[in-house]
Amino acid sequence: MDSTELMIPNHIAIILDGNGRWAKKRGMPRNYGHTQGSKAVEQICEDAYKIGVKYLTVYAFSTENWKRPKEEVEAIMKLLRSYLKTSIKTSEKNNMKVRVIGDKSKLSQDIQDSIMKLEESSKKNTGLNLQVAINYGGRDELVRAIKSISLQVKDHTIDLNDIDETFLEDYIDTRGIPDPDLLIRTSGETRLSNFMLWQMAYTEFYFTDVLWPDFNKVELMKAIEYYNSRTRKYGSVL
Ligand code: FPP
């Protein structure tokens, strides 16, 4: 199929997986894989936007990732720190609006400050909407939403009958962001790993053996072709 005929998903979510294995294959430390993975994120943001993707969400650090060895967690935090700082410039250059999803309150104060700065400085940008999931878990997100709603019921600010699906959407981290049309998970794993449980109710899933640092525009187009083959076959996939 001619790529100009392809229907481009509005929102793509990605589980970046395989950094460690990519590094091991090269006899390098896992953290080298994360560094290369971070470069692949930057490149895919540009590629995705150029082909017409409006929203991109990447799973950078899950609530479960704290269980990794201390040195690896520290190295990933260092990488995220530097990513958040350089993103202030790159988001300006690429007209990209960045939002971090997840429980930010558990991150170190300087990371929280960088997130605030980046979100604030990029909020008026009209290009790609990039969501970076840091200390994110789908179950944790729902628990936080439920707690916040419960407090208001308790205070009689809202009535139990006010709560429906649309109401809840205002309490989750992705408020205002359309649900993903396509999920991509790299490295051959086929689990959802607690990613966007609420938002992915109708999302199309694409799995590839490619390790995240090797994921590029060619691989992205393969995922989009797969998405097109599914939507052509089943129409609006609900
Ligand atoms: C996935 O590979 C790696 C992670 C989930 C860790 C953090 C991701 C990055 C550092 C990418 C950078 C992201 C941004 C937004 C800058 P893995 O360690 O699970 O690999 P493995 O399954 O081969 O061990």
Side-chain angles (χ1 to χ4, degrees):
M1 181 194 265
D2 179 346
S3 71
T4 52
E5 293 171 26
L6 285 175
M7 183 165 72
I8 303 298
N10 188 43
H11 184 174
I12 299 182
I14 309 181
I15 302 181
L16 322 161
D17 201 1
N19 291 349
R21 276 164 283 170
W22 184 91
K24 195 173 172 206
K25 264 174 61 182
R26 288 160 178 78
M28 299 296 279
R30 293 178 58 77
N31 294 336
Y32 178 66
H34 296 319
T35 306
Q36 294 307 115
S38 158
K39 289 183 184 160
V41 169
E42 289 183 36
Q43 187 58 50
I44 220 67
C45 285
E46 290 193 24
D47 295 337
Y49 186 58
K50 275 186 199 144
I51 60 167
V53 175
K54 301 281 189 304
Y55 295 85
L56 187 73
T57 304
V58 294
Y59 206 4
F61 194 84
S62 73
T63 46
E64 288 71 37
N65 283 157
W66 296 107
K67 294 184 198 128
R68 292 189 178 206
K70 193 166 163 267
E71 308 76 63
E72 185 174 348
V73 170
E74 275 169 11
I76 293 174
M77 287 300 149
K78 194 173 162 201
L79 199 58
L80 289 173
R81 243 184 212 102
S82 116
Y83 176 80
L84 293 166
K85 286 211 173 97
T86 54
S87 287
I88 293 188
K89 283 209 182 89
T90 45
S91 62
E92 199 181 305
K93 189 175 117 226
N94 302 337
N95 193 21
M96 185 169 75
K97 179 173 173 177
V98 189
R99 190 198 286 187
V100 171
I101 60 169
D103 184 358
K104 294 172 240 187
S105 70
K106 305 261 163 55
L107 300 170
S108 69
Q109 192 56 51
D110 71 297
I111 294 189
Q112 291 186 44
D113 293 346
S114 292
I115 291 172
M116 241 159 46
K117 258 194 193 158
L118 175 58
E119 288 182 336
E120 185 57 33
S121 72
S122 69
K123 75 177 183 200
K124 296 226 167 66
N125 292 344
T126 53
L128 180 75
N129 292 275
L130 172 69
Q131 289 68 240
V132 185
I134 306 178
N135 190 30
Y136 176 89
R139 289 182 175 180
D140 178 68
E141 175 185 42
L142 292 175
V143 169
R144 284 185 284 110
I146 291 164
K147 279 186 176 164
S148 170
I149 294 171
S150 304
L151 268 179
Q152 294 194 56
V153 175
K154 199 170 144 227
D155 295 347
H156 304 288
T157 325
I158 56 163
D159 187 78
L160 199 57
N161 294 321
D162 293 337
I163 304 169
D164 59 12
E165 291 183 14
T166 315
F167 184 93
L168 197 138
E169 282 185 352
D170 276 340
Y171 288 80
I172 55 176
D173 297 346
T174 52
R175 67 192 71 87
I177 293 167
D179 290 342
D181 304 289
L182 173 67
L183 166 77
I184 298 171
R185 182 166 189 161
T186 54
S187 91
E189 306 299 337
T190 52
R191 299 180 299 280
L192 192 48
S193 297
N194 203 10
F195 193 36
M196 301 179 96
L197 300 180
W198 173 272
Q199 296 88 338
M200 298 236 214
Y202 300 105
T203 301
E204 199 66 51
F205 289 6
Y206 174 79
F207 301 107
T208 170
D209 287 338
V210 171
L211 303 175
W212 175 252
D214 286 333
F215 194 86
N216 55 20
K217 192 174 173 188
V218 171
E219 298 303 328
L220 178 66
M221 292 318 293
K222 285 186 199 165
I224 293 176
E225 271 165 26
Y226 171 81
Y227 171 77
N228 275 254
S229 72
R230 302 294 298 169
T231 43
R232 263 203 320 279
K233 204 162 168 188
Y234 299 108
S236 164
V237 274
L238 286 179

